[in-house]
């Protein structure tokens, strides 16, 4: 699995997030057919994984957490829709 930084392809999304929320950092990645949106504010880090074609696998979520969160044993809350095509991961700082 490889995370590919595709932030430059999502300029409108990044601009919208920075202007309409308290987020101060936004990155967008591609993990194959899964899009990963990483946002960071002063209080929290939020990661959203979205795949319109299939369910997101547990291994994909774990891979993203390991790659994007620099803590050894991060404490996080994970939320997903009933089809597991959208997963949100919240980490308090």
């Amino acid at each position: 699995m490889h995370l590919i930084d595709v932030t430059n392809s999502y300029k409108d999304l990044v601009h919208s997030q920075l202007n309409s929320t308290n987020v101060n950092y936004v990155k967008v990645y591609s993990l194959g057919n899964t899009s990963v949106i990483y946002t960071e504010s002063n209080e929290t880090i939020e990661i959203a994984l979205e795949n319109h074609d299939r369910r997101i696998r547990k291994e994909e979520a774990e891979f993203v957490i390991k790659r994007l969160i620099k803590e050894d044993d991060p404490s996080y809350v994970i939320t997903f829709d009933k089809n597991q095509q959208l997963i949100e991961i919240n980490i308090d700082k």
Side-chain angles (χ1 to χ4, degrees):
M1 281 187 260
H2 298 292
L3 274 178
I4 300 169
D5 185 349
V6 293
T7 305
N8 289 337
S9 298
Y10 291 89
K11 291 179 183 176
D12 292 336
L13 171 69
V14 172
H15 185 69
S16 169
Q17 287 287 315
L18 291 172
N19 286 331
S20 63
T21 65
N22 65 346
V23 170
N24 52 26
Y25 184 79
V26 179
K27 279 290 212 181
V28 182
Y29 298 94
S30 172
L31 184 65
N33 289 340
T34 303
S35 298
V36 179
I37 303 167
Y38 175 93
T39 58
E40 190 171 333
S41 69
N42 293 333
E43 299 87 25
T44 63
I45 296 171
E46 295 182 8
I47 302 170
L49 289 83
E50 182 178 37
N51 189 317
H52 295 286
D53 299 327
R54 62 170 174 76
R55 299 176 81 177
I56 297 170
R57 296 187 310 267
K58 180 180 176 184
E59 299 84 34
E60 291 174 307
E62 291 173 355
F63 175 78
V64 168
I65 292 168
K66 285 182 184 178
R67 290 293 305 258
L68 297 180
I69 305 304
K70 304 304 179 197
E71 296 178 31
D72 289 334
D73 191 20
S75 176
Y76 56 87
V77 175
I78 189 165
T79 310
F80 52 90
D81 68 346
K82 69 175 187 165
N83 296 327
Q84 286 188 332
Q85 291 182 322
L86 175 65
I87 293 179
E88 293 183 14
I89 303 163
N90 295 304
I91 302 120
D92 289 329
K93 287 187 171 179

